[in-house]
Amino acid sequence: MQNRIIVTLTLLCAVTAFGCKDNDALPRHTIDGVAQGTTYHIVYNHPEKIVTQAQTDSLLDEFDKSCSLWDSTSLISRINRNLTDTVDKNIKTCVELALRLSRESNGLYDITVAPLAEAYGFGTEEAVEKPNIDSIMQFVGYEKINLAGWILTKSDPRVRIDLNSIAQGYSADIMAKYLEKRGIKEYLVEIGGEIRCSKSNNGKKWKVGIDRPIEGNYTPGADLQVVVNLSDAGLATSGNYRKFHKDKDGKPVHHSINPKTGQSTTNEMLSATVIAPTAVEADAYATLMMISGLEESKKIIERNKKLSAYIVYADDNGDMKVYADPKMMTLTDGE
């Protein structure tokens, strides 16, 4: 019997996870719920149902109290309002990785872009008709924040941190560690589309389907681009084909913002699926690749041997093309 989970990736790309069960397999348990303004789906194989939805919700609620911008009382929201400068383990981990990627990418990855995203209408009810980008750029830039131990300082009090491109991946990693501590060795965790899975799924790899990145493909699993065989890894997909709106002139405004120019990113990238050792790394690098473009993404993969990527892009004629590094090619079932 086929066990199927429909999940939706961060930035509104989608995947479908498949798992086949035979007579000798461990019993399969599923937990579905809502967290972080999105859905989560967890599958684990174990003789007993030892982790419940109530336990899962409690753990994810605790994470929201740390990293969620949707919660005005969360720690990150209070840091953004300059009510405190002390971080916790969750924020410390995310900011440390974010700053490393910012330095590695010469500022193309940046968690201080929240004011820019809001000006373009993402995370707010409506966009500013003519945002003053030059004015906003005065308090955007990773070099304007510093993390020393548990203290985060800003060079300008107007600087605000947005962990949306990294925090959901980290929450999937946290949930995976919780399952492991409970003695669960076979699992797949998906939170808002960020995935972390165990090495084995009843002796096989986990199969994760990636939606084809075309406008109008709004039903997760209805039109798959590729199926990836995943084992002991994190996976995330970032894309521009769903989360965008059009300005008054009818031009698309994408949610991927270039923090060096302050402009909505316009390049050949349609989606980037990244496999990494952890979901938090996959989450952050998928975002970085969407901003970087195809050729720079290839260089990122070359520099980071632990990464694999499946990139869908448009060529000069507007035709959909695919780039997958050699390692990724060994993990896919084909288009």
Side-chain angles (χ1 to χ4, degrees):
M1 180 173 119
Q2 190 179 70
N3 209 334
R4 183 180 178 191
I5 312 164
I6 302 295
V7 300
T8 303
L9 281 176
T10 301
L11 307 180
L12 303 183
C13 295
V15 303
T16 304
F18 304 90
C20 295
K21 183 176 177 181
D22 56 43
N23 293 333
D24 297 325
L26 289 170
R28 172 157 295 165
H29 309 281
T30 63
I31 307 172
D32 299 327
V34 176
Q36 303 174 25
T38 183
T39 60
Y40 70 79
H41 306 272
I42 298 170
V43 176
Y44 66 91
N45 304 326
H46 194 272
E48 300 177 1
K49 187 169 185 176
I50 59 174
V51 174
T52 66
Q53 182 166 357
Q55 291 168 325
T56 302
D57 287 342
S58 177
L59 186 65
L60 294 178
D61 285 346
E62 182 179 342
F63 186 83
D64 277 355
K65 288 297 182 184
S66 171
C67 295
S68 175
L69 289 179
W70 298 102
D71 183 349
S72 63
T73 68
S74 70
L75 181 55
I76 193 64
S77 294
R78 287 186 284 123
I79 289 173
N80 282 342
R81 297 200 303 273
N82 303 304
L83 299 178
T84 182
D85 60 4
T86 303
V87 302
D88 61 6
K89 182 180 179 181
N90 296 329
I91 295 176
K92 180 180 173 68
T93 300
C94 290
V95 171
E96 285 178 340
L97 175 59
L99 290 176
R100 177 168 67 81
L101 261 64
S102 293
R103 292 187 290 268
E104 176 186 314
S105 65
N106 193 27
L108 277 180
Y109 181 86
D110 196 323
I111 55 174
T112 69
V113 295
L116 288 169
E118 290 177 2
Y120 284 113
F122 300 104
T124 58
E125 292 185 1
E126 60 182 41
V128 176
E129 185 172 345
K130 292 182 179 180
N132 188 333
I133 299 303
D134 290 339
S135 176
I136 296 174
M137 289 295 287
Q138 296 178 44
F139 46 96
V140 171
Y142 76 94
E143 70 282 354
K144 292 179 173 63
I145 60 175
N146 181 66
L147 183 64
W150 300 94
I151 302 299
L152 189 149
T153 56
K154 312 175 193 176
S155 63
D156 187 316
R158 295 173 297 175
V159 172
R160 287 184 288 127
I161 297 170
D162 184 346
L163 298 177
N164 286 340
S165 65
I166 196 169
Q168 282 186 337
Y170 187 52
S171 68
D173 291 331
I174 288 175
M175 194 68 228
K177 289 180 181 178
Y178 177 76
L179 295 175
E180 291 172 358
K181 287 181 180 178
R182 296 299 305 275
I184 295 170
K185 297 180 179 179
E186 298 188 345
Y187 60 81
L188 183 144
V189 175
E190 175 275 319
I191 301 175
E194 323 313 355
I195 289 177
R196 179 69 182 271
C197 71
S198 61
K199 182 176 181 180
S200 172
N201 171 27
N202 279 318
K204 302 176 182 179
K205 291 184 177 182
W206 297 93
K207 288 184 176 291
V208 178
I210 311 299
D211 273 1
R212 196 176 304 280
I214 55 175
E215 190 174 351
N217 187 11
Y218 299 121
T219 304
D223 186 5
L224 293 179
Q225 174 74 27
V226 70
V227 175
V228 179
N229 297 290
L230 205 59
S231 174
D232 189 21
L235 178 146
T237 294
S238 181
N240 279 329
Y241 70 103
R242 286 179 179 168
K243 196 169 184 180
F244 69 93
H245 59 256
K246 295 183 179 181
D247 63 19
K248 60 184 180 63
D249 297 321
K251 296 180 180 179
V253 179
H254 297 290
H255 73 283
S256 296
I257 309 297
N258 186 323
K260 299 183 71 174
T261 65
Q263 301 298 319
S264 172
T265 300
T266 301
N267 58 29
E268 70 274 69
M269 302 288 282
L270 297 177
S271 72
T273 296
V274 175
I275 297 176
T278 61
V280 67
E281 292 172 291
D283 195 0
Y285 274 106
T287 299
L288 172 58
M289 289 183 188
M290 288 301 299
I291 300 171
S292 299
L294 178 62
E295 294 307 316
E296 185 58 35
S297 293
K298 292 178 182 179
K299 296 176 183 178
I300 292 171
I301 300 166
E302 180 62 28
R303 289 195 302 264
N304 297 273
K305 302 300 183 182
K306 63 185 178 182
L307 302 179
S308 295
Y310 187 98
I311 296 171
V312 184
Y313 65 97
D315 66 12
D316 293 339
N317 296 320
D319 296 326
M320 185 182 293
K321 300 292 183 180
V322 170
Y323 169 80
D325 65 276
K327 183 179 178 182
M328 178 63 82
M329 291 298 291
T330 68
L331 301 175
T332 59
D333 287 349
E335 299 179 26

